[in-house]
Structures are given as C-alpha cells and as structure tokens.
Amino acid sequence: MSSLQGKVAVVTGAGAGLGRSIAIRLAARGARVVVADIADEAAAETARLIAEEAGEARAFHVDVTSSADSVALVAHAVLMYGRLDVAVNNAGVAPPPHPIAEVPADVWRRTLSVDLDGVFNGIQAQIPAMVEHGGGVIVNIASILGTVGFPGLAPYVAAKHAVIGLTKQIAVDYAKQGIRSIAIGPAFIKTGLEAVFDDATRKALDEAHPIGRMGTPGEVGEVVAAVAEDGWSFVNGAYLPIDGGYLSR
Ligand SMILES: NC(=O)c1ccc[n+]([C@@H]2O[C@H](COP(=O)([O-])OP(=O)(O)OC[C@H]3O[C@@H](n4cnc5c(N)ncnc54)[C@H](O)[C@@H]3O)[C@@H](O)[C@H]2O)c1
C-alpha cells in the first residue's frame, strides 16, 4: 500500500497541465487532495476527474502571488482534512521571449511574482502547518531552466534557479522538524506553456531531448507522487530533473 494513503496534499496550479496530472497521481495513491488554482472551473474539473476515479479531492481558489491566499489554502486543507502532509508548489507562467536587455519591466515583475514569490508564499504558509503535525514533504516545480539558461527567457530562468535555492533552504532550516523538500526539473512538457514557441522551435525542442520528444504531464505527475512517498525519506533539498536526457548532453 502507498504511504500516501489518507495523507493530505495541496497542489497549486492544479487546474491544468502538470498540476492536474500531479493531483491525479497523488489521489491515485490514496492522498486527499486540495486542487488549487486561480482558474476556478479548471480546478473544479480536476477535482471531478479525481472523484470519477473514486479519489478524494476539493477545488479551492488561490492566487499564489497573494500570501493571504496561500495561507487560506493551507487553512482550507487543515479545515477539510485535519492536517497537511504534502504540498506541491506548481503554479507558474512562461513569459513571452525577449533577450535579457529588452525584457519589459512588467514581464519581469509578473513572471517573478508567480514563479518565485508564489513558491515562497506557499512555503511560508505550508511549513507551520506541517511542523504542527510532525513534518511533511514540499515539492517545488522548477524546470531544467533552473540549472541552465535558454534564449529569451531571462525572468523564467532566474525564477526557476531561485526555486531550486529555496528548496535547498527548506532542507537546511527545517529537516530537524521533519520537513523534506525536493525541486523537480521537467524539461519541455506538452501542456500549453510550450505554445509560446513557433513550429520550428517546437521541432527543435523535440530534438533537443536525447529521447527525441518532449515529455508528457503523466511522466511528471508519476515522479512527483513517487518522491512524496515515505521511502524517499533521506532525499532532502535535492534537485531531480525529469528531462528525457536534456541536461545530459
Ligand atoms: N510545460 C513545460 O514544458 C514545463 C517545463 C518545466 C517546468 N514547468 C513548470 O511546471 C509548472 C506547471 O506548468 P504547466 O506547463 O502545467 O502550465 P499550464 O499553463 O498548463 O498550467 C499552469 C496552471 O497554473 C495556474 N496559475 C497560473 N497563475 C496562477 C496563480 N497566480 N495562482 C494560482 N494558479 C495559477 C493556471 O491557471 C494553470 O491552471 C510551472 O511552474 C512551469 O514553470 C513546465
């Protein structure tokens, strides 16, 4: 039996793409999941898909750029299910591409506000609830672009590098209180975020992965659910690429 059976999880950005897949895979292992997203109908649809498979899930509105919303999300999980065991900080946006010298100030701020502040807000809200019940697991969705650059994506690359740093900091500050953190580094996954690229770029992206294609949301969801299992207890502060070999070249 999965060690996630009966555990309580929150997943941000769970109305689409990777977040939806992560929520579904956590629920399939028996976790009770709060499906959080700024898009209410999308979150409700994920909760419905989980219920269809006899899983337990509730949708909840969150804007991760708001620390108050992030606190309310954790409070909701505790109110509904009594505790918080697993948090996946997944919500993110991809900026339109610009060379670094030409990144508009509002694009920089907006990207950092969702992709970095959103993760920080989540961590700050989640840790106290986890500490209260003896610990938990925080999985932050970074990217392969948390370790290397990519043409035109300076704000995203900066935010994802920082997310890996925050993940290490959780381990350093809270391992003794039973909290474990992992940063996940997906390569290019077909979800919709890749829609910012033209056809030629998408073809080049397929070829940039030694496996010859982009990944699927299920290939990420499965790994995120697995790393939340108790058997991963000595893996803390780590960065785990899920990249079809992208970073091995
Ligand atoms: N798709 C990829 O190729 C890829 C690769 C590496 C990393 N990632 C990361 O994975 C995560 C999910 O990406 P995706 O491809 O599934 O994206 P997506 O656009 O398919 O889904 C993102 C979800 O986040 C929600 N969201 C956006 N802003 C929000 C906010 N302020 N508060 C709450 N929810 C918000 C959206 O409504 C949406 O449901 C992101 O952090 C992204 O950077 C994606």
Side-chain angles (χ1 to χ4, degrees):
M1 190 177 81
S2 167
S3 65
L4 295 178
Q5 192 66 44
K7 294 244 173 94
V8 180
V10 301
V11 182
T12 68
L18 306 194
R20 173 172 285 172
S21 174
I22 292 163
I24 288 172
R25 302 297 168 121
L26 286 167
R29 288 172 187 249
R32 296 172 285 170
V33 184
V34 179
V35 172
D37 206 291
I38 199 166
D40 295 336
E41 280 181 22
E45 174 63 8
T46 302
R48 194 192 63 71
L49 290 169
I50 290 172
E52 210 172 73
E53 296 298 318
E56 170 66 36
R58 312 238 168 177
F60 191 77
H61 178 88
V62 73
D63 177 351
V64 296
T65 67
S66 155
S67 57
D69 272 21
S70 301
V71 168
L73 168 60
V74 170
H76 185 72
V78 173
L79 181 71
M80 286 296 119
Y81 297 127
R83 51 189 292 144
L84 177 64
D85 302 296
V86 178
V88 184
N89 294 306
N90 164 79
V93 292
H98 296 280
I100 190 165
E102 296 164 28
V103 175
D106 64 321
V107 169
W108 173 262
R109 296 261 162 257
R110 176 69 191 151
T111 309
L112 271 287
S113 130
V114 180
D115 293 1
L116 179 55
D117 298 355
V119 174
F120 178 68
N121 290 336
I123 291 166
Q124 281 210 314
Q126 293 147 12
I127 285 177
M130 289 182 174
V131 166
E132 197 173 322
H133 289 277
V137 182
I138 296 178
V139 184
N140 295 320
I141 306 304
S143 166
I144 47 166
L145 305 186
T147 59
V148 293
F150 191 84
L153 292 186
Y156 188 83
V157 166
K160 295 302 186 180
H161 274 71
V163 166
I164 293 173
L166 287 178
T167 305
K168 293 175 183 168
Q169 197 59 37
I170 296 168
V172 169
D173 285 341
Y174 286 97
K176 285 210 167 59
Q177 278 127 298
I179 295 183
R180 200 156 65 71
S181 59
I182 298 185
I184 297 292
F188 291 89
I189 312 293
K190 286 186 183 168
T191 61
L193 269 191
E194 81 281 0
V196 296
F197 303 115
D198 60 27
D199 286 350
T201 308
R202 275 201 290 273
K203 186 166 180 290
L205 282 175
D206 279 339
E207 286 162 7
H209 301 75
I211 201 170
R213 62 170 176 84
M214 292 189 247
T216 66
E219 287 174 312
V220 177
E222 187 56 34
V223 174
V224 172
V227 303
E229 295 273 4
D230 288 352
W232 285 64
S233 47
F234 205 57
V235 179
N236 200 356
Y239 167 70
L240 177 60
I242 306 175
D243 70 350
Y246 186 102
L247 293 176
S248 301
R249 281 228 160 109

